[in-house]
Amino acid sequence: MARELNKRGVPTMVFTTCSLSPYDSWWHDHYEPGVYDVERVETRRFATSKIRGPYDSVISKLRRGKKLSTQDQQDFFEYGINSRDLVKALGSFVNDDYELIALPYFHGLTHSLVHEYPGEISLIPCFHDEPQFYWSTTEQLLCNAKHIFFNSPEEKQLTIKQYGRRVGRRIVESVVTGVGVELTPSSEQLEGKPEELPDSYFIYAGRKERGKNVHLLCEWFLDYAKEFRLGTKLVFIGGGDKSLVPSSDHYVDLGFVSEARKLQLIRHSKGVINLSENESFSIVIMEGWLCGVPSVVSANCPVTRNHVSRCNGGLFVANSDEFGLALKHLEDHEITRSCLAANGRRYLAREFSFDVVLSKYLRELGDGGNPKQTFSNIHGEAQLSPDWQACVLEP
């Protein structure tokens, strides 16, 4: 988002911590504090806060099924991934020259920023149905945010159902922007089919977590492979808990790969599978459509199911039997795979090109609801000169 705003003439920088990833210690500074150039985006990194005892105490209560107090909820965010240095440094940017946007709600840095500067920082919450969404700290976050930007209609409806009566117009009148998803013409691409993989494979791209139903995916795929396709593989790319992928010839875990390698692997697969029921958008199924392959998603996830339904870009499944039949149909029908992916690409161009998505942000952030800048072409050239800058804040 920051990169694409910069390309369109809206100077944008990123404030973040020195943490490496959610799977490494949040209290360890992997990077040195300072100013970095990341894909031509000015990125300012700040040391993390090092106190973690109260956070560990809350996690212990969660694991034991204990009820959390309001203080416990506050400790979860205050002593999770956070940076008092970043919060303090942002003070000089809280003025009329900058629009400040923080994401996501799940990490403490976002809460600290929004509460430190109430009414000054807009929020991209990335909500889905999980315990933290229902905490009183989340309601307070919504009350203190300047604007709220949702990734999907389903995310907004979930929020209205839970908080609409108490928070009111701030939520109801908020904007569903979606997320910009494009494969830029300049992106490095690896040609040819990956030599080490079989002719037929499906792919999961993302974090390996129980919360993403990776364990269920492995169980269902094993049932499918035994009944229908012994030679078909399930390929995993991305980080997370490797132990969730059983040691079996049916699975190939490639771990982290380059962006070009990821696109190559997706392009030659039979489809992208995402059975997660906790999604606020799901970029990966969109990347599948851009690479020319359909998606298989969970019928129990309103966001991904409705993406697929709106554009007819794949199949949604509710159990192992439906999963097996869906994969068999996609394997056996190349024309169907191509048509579903083409439907998805048209949907993306209409709803989630960066020109479309970023124009929604700028219209909302403009004074009096009037756009300060809009975009109307696919090459990302600014149509008007911006009179403010943007700052994106993330853990």
Side-chain angles (χ1 to χ4, degrees), residues 12-126:
T12 306
M13 70 181 78
V14 171
F15 277 48
T16 186
T17 71
C18 296
S19 294
L20 177 60
S21 81
Y23 303 101
D24 297 270
S25 172
W26 294 351
W27 303 272
H28 171 71
D29 291 330
H30 176 81
Y31 300 97
E32 290 292 327
V35 181
Y36 292 74
D37 183 308
V38 181
E39 296 187 38
R40 298 183 180 180
V41 175
E42 180 181 327
T43 303
R44 302 189 179 201
R45 295 188 179 275
F46 296 84
T48 58
S49 302
K50 301 300 189 292
I51 300 174
R52 62 175 294 177
Y55 177 86
D56 289 339
S57 176
V58 176
I59 294 300
S60 176
K61 289 183 179 180
L62 284 172
R63 288 172 176 167
R64 289 180 287 138
K66 299 291 186 180
K67 184 177 180 179
L68 299 184
S69 65
T70 300
Q71 185 61 55
D72 289 331
Q73 296 174 11
Q74 292 171 353
D75 286 348
F76 176 89
F77 291 113
E78 175 65 25
Y79 298 101
I81 186 168
N82 214 328
S83 173
R84 294 309 305 174
D85 290 347
L86 191 158
V87 174
K88 182 179 178 181
L90 193 70
S92 60
F93 293 87
V94 180
N95 56 59
D96 292 338
D97 295 329
Y98 287 88
E99 290 289 347
L100 310 175
I101 305 174
L103 75 158
Y105 95 100
F106 193 81
H107 292 299
L109 178 61
T110 298
H111 290 253
S112 294
L113 289 164
V114 172
H115 297 327
E116 184 76 14
Y117 308 106
E120 298 289 348
I121 297 180
S122 298
L123 174 68
I124 304 175
C126 305

Side-chain angles (χ1 to χ4, degrees), residues 62-226:
L62 284 172
R63 288 172 176 167
R64 289 180 287 138
K66 299 291 186 180
K67 184 177 180 179
L68 299 184
S69 65
T70 300
Q71 185 61 55
D72 289 331
Q73 296 174 11
Q74 292 171 353
D75 286 348
F76 176 89
F77 291 113
E78 175 65 25
Y79 298 101
I81 186 168
N82 214 328
S83 173
R84 294 309 305 174
D85 290 347
L86 191 158
V87 174
K88 182 179 178 181
L90 193 70
S92 60
F93 293 87
V94 180
N95 56 59
D96 292 338
D97 295 329
Y98 287 88
E99 290 289 347
L100 310 175
I101 305 174
L103 75 158
Y105 95 100
F106 193 81
H107 292 299
L109 178 61
T110 298
H111 290 253
S112 294
L113 289 164
V114 172
H115 297 327
E116 184 76 14
Y117 308 106
E120 298 289 348
I121 297 180
S122 298
L123 174 68
I124 304 175
C126 305
F127 286 141
H128 52 259
D129 191 354
E130 60 186 346
Q132 288 82 354
F133 170 72
Y134 298 96
W135 290 0
S136 60
T137 47
T138 298
E139 180 177 342
Q140 191 61 43
L141 184 71
L142 291 169
C143 290
N144 284 341
K146 180 179 180 181
H147 298 287
I148 302 166
F149 298 106
F150 291 111
N151 289 335
S152 67
E154 293 76 24
E155 181 192 7
K156 179 175 178 178
Q157 288 304 314
L158 175 70
T159 311
I160 290 175
K161 181 179 179 180
Q162 178 64 22
Y163 295 111
R165 289 184 180 275
R166 299 197 295 275
V167 180
R169 294 177 60 182
R170 183 182 302 275
I171 296 174
V172 175
E173 297 179 358
S174 61
V175 175
V176 177
T177 57
V179 178
V181 184
E182 294 179 6
L183 300 183
T184 60
S186 61
S187 295
E188 177 190 0
Q189 297 188 14
L190 297 176
E191 300 300 329
K193 180 182 171 298
E195 294 182 359
E196 74 276 22
L197 293 176
D199 290 335
S200 183
Y201 65 89
F202 290 87
I203 193 164
Y204 172 88
R207 301 189 301 275
K208 291 182 280 290
E209 295 180 356
R210 293 188 68 86
K212 296 288 187 181
N213 267 342
V214 169
H215 61 296
L216 188 65
L217 169 59
C218 291
E219 292 173 12
W220 288 5
F221 189 84
L222 182 60
D223 293 341
Y224 166 72
K226 289 180 176 178

